[in-house]
């Protein structure tokens, strides 16, 4: 007994290289669900959109019958989230975390958190767990996760903007801790500044959580380019506060 699965092109990167074809025949037993069959190929269900068996829309819990043909599409883009666009990134995505915070996107990140702790925080705070670890995405306890495509931070950010189209509020979050930034006068933060900084810059922001002070300094051109590129993304929904 077998079921035929038709795997969308966007999902075939999760298959072994030698098996990255459109059609797969998967052995069927009495207890198997379509979700189990898809995962048996190596595809995390977090990456799968609404499936169909013939003319019937089916959930991952659907138990297919002999001869069923199941369409397995990618998750629709932009993906609708049950909560706001709030993310938690695993330890390998630190650069992406800083870029998301630069854009004002609520982004939690720790460089020393293990997998069970990541799942616990994502569930407790209703954050989407972002990772390139397929095993982490397959943890049954995880409420919602997403695979991040791309090896470079620019590619990863482009992928996330296309998938979730989060509203952007650049320069409103601390890139170090994710706290909110508020404008402050030079006199208020003068003791925290080097002499050259005090002399050359007048506009400052300070994190309400960790106290870090920000100003448009030597790296502002690079950061401005990241912001400009994000606003130019076709899926981006801009908001006030730029």
């Amino acid at each position: 007994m077998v079921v035929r699965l038709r795997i969308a092109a966007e999902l075939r990167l999760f298959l072994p290289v030698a098996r990255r074809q459109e059609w797969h025949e998967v052995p069927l037993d009495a207890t198997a669900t379509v979700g189990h069959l898809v995962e048996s190929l190596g595809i995390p269900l977090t990456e799968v959109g609404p499936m169909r068996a013939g003319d019937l829309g089916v959930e991952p819990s659907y138990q297919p019958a002999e001869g069923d043909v199941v369409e397995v599409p990618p998750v629709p883009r932009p993906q609708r989230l049950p909560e706001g666009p709030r993310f938690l990134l695993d330890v390998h995505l630190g650069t992406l975390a800083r870029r998301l915070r630069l854009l004002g996107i609520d982004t939690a990140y720790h460089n020393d958190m293990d997998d069970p702790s990541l799942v616990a925080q994502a569930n407790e705070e209703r954050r989407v767990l972002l990772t390139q670890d397929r095993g982490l995405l397959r943890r049954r306890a995880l409420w919602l996760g997403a695979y991040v495509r791309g090896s470079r931070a620019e590619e990863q950010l482009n992928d996330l903007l296309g998938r979730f189209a989060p509203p952007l509020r650049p320069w409103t979050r601390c890139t170090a801790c994710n706290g909110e930034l508020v404008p402050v006068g030079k006199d208020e933060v003068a003791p925290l500044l080097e002499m050259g900084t005090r002399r050359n810059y007048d506009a400052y922001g300070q994190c309400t959580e960790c106290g870090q002070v920000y100003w448009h300094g030597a790296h502002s051109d690079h950061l401005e380019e990241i912001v400009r590129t994000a606003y130019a993304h076709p899926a981006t929904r801009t908001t006030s506060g730029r």
Side-chain angles (χ1 to χ4, degrees):
M1 296 176 63
V2 297
V3 172
R4 298 192 76 202
L5 302 180
R6 187 179 186 183
I7 308 300
E10 296 90 338
L11 297 176
R12 293 176 206 160
L13 80 160
F14 298 108
L15 304 174
V17 174
R19 301 187 63 204
R20 289 183 178 173
Q21 67 263 22
E22 181 178 9
W23 290 98
H24 287 260
E25 290 191 349
V26 183
L28 180 65
D29 63 48
T31 62
T33 66
V34 70
H36 290 143
L37 298 181
V38 170
E39 286 193 322
S40 73
L41 297 178
I43 303 172
L45 290 178
T46 58
E47 308 311 298
V48 175
M51 293 181 284
R52 300 192 68 82
D55 294 330
L56 179 67
V58 298
E59 297 292 329
S61 58
Y62 171 75
Q63 291 186 294
E66 167 72 13
D68 270 354
V69 176
V70 180
E71 300 279 344
V72 185
V75 67
R77 292 187 174 218
Q79 181 178 354
R80 292 177 178 268
L81 296 175
E83 310 284 343
R86 306 174 71 237
F87 302 108
L88 170 63
L89 278 62
D90 78 5
V91 297
H92 304 292
L93 297 174
T95 301
L96 176 61
R98 289 188 291 274
R99 293 192 179 202
L100 290 172
R101 290 170 177 174
L102 170 67
L103 296 173
I105 299 167
D106 190 347
T107 304
Y109 170 77
H110 314 275
N111 61 9
D112 59 354
M113 186 172 279
D114 61 19
D115 288 357
S117 299
L118 284 168
V119 172
Q121 182 177 352
N123 292 349
E124 180 180 351
E125 299 179 8
R126 306 300 281 179
R127 294 180 180 274
V128 182
L129 179 56
L130 304 181
T131 181
Q132 294 184 326
D133 183 341
R134 304 176 199 181
L136 183 53
L137 292 176
R138 293 179 61 182
R139 286 182 173 252
R140 298 298 177 197
L142 178 62
W143 87 288
L144 189 59
Y147 183 84
V148 178
R149 301 180 185 225
S151 57
R152 297 183 300 137
E154 305 88 73
E155 299 167 337
Q156 295 165 357
L157 180 58
N158 185 67
D159 179 56
L160 264 295
L161 294 177
R163 178 157 180 174
F164 297 107
L168 306 183
R169 297 175 56 242
W171 317 107
T172 62
R173 284 193 177 271
C174 177
T175 56
C177 80
N178 195 47
E180 294 275 356
L181 299 185
V182 295
V184 290
K186 181 189 292 190
D187 292 343
E188 296 177 67
V189 294
L192 304 175
L193 305 175
E194 298 289 340
M195 179 67 72
T197 303
R198 292 198 302 270
R199 182 172 59 248
N200 293 316
Y201 302 99
D202 294 315
Y204 298 90
Q206 187 170 30
C207 176
T208 56
E209 297 293 328
C210 72
Q212 177 75 35
V213 178
Y214 289 84
W215 62 93
H216 285 277
H219 302 291
S220 62
D221 288 347
H222 170 62
L223 301 180
E224 288 280 9
E225 180 58 29
I226 293 173
V227 173
R228 282 194 295 268
T229 301
Y231 271 111
H233 195 290
T236 297
R237 298 192 306 271
T238 61
T239 62
S240 60
R242 181 173 179 179

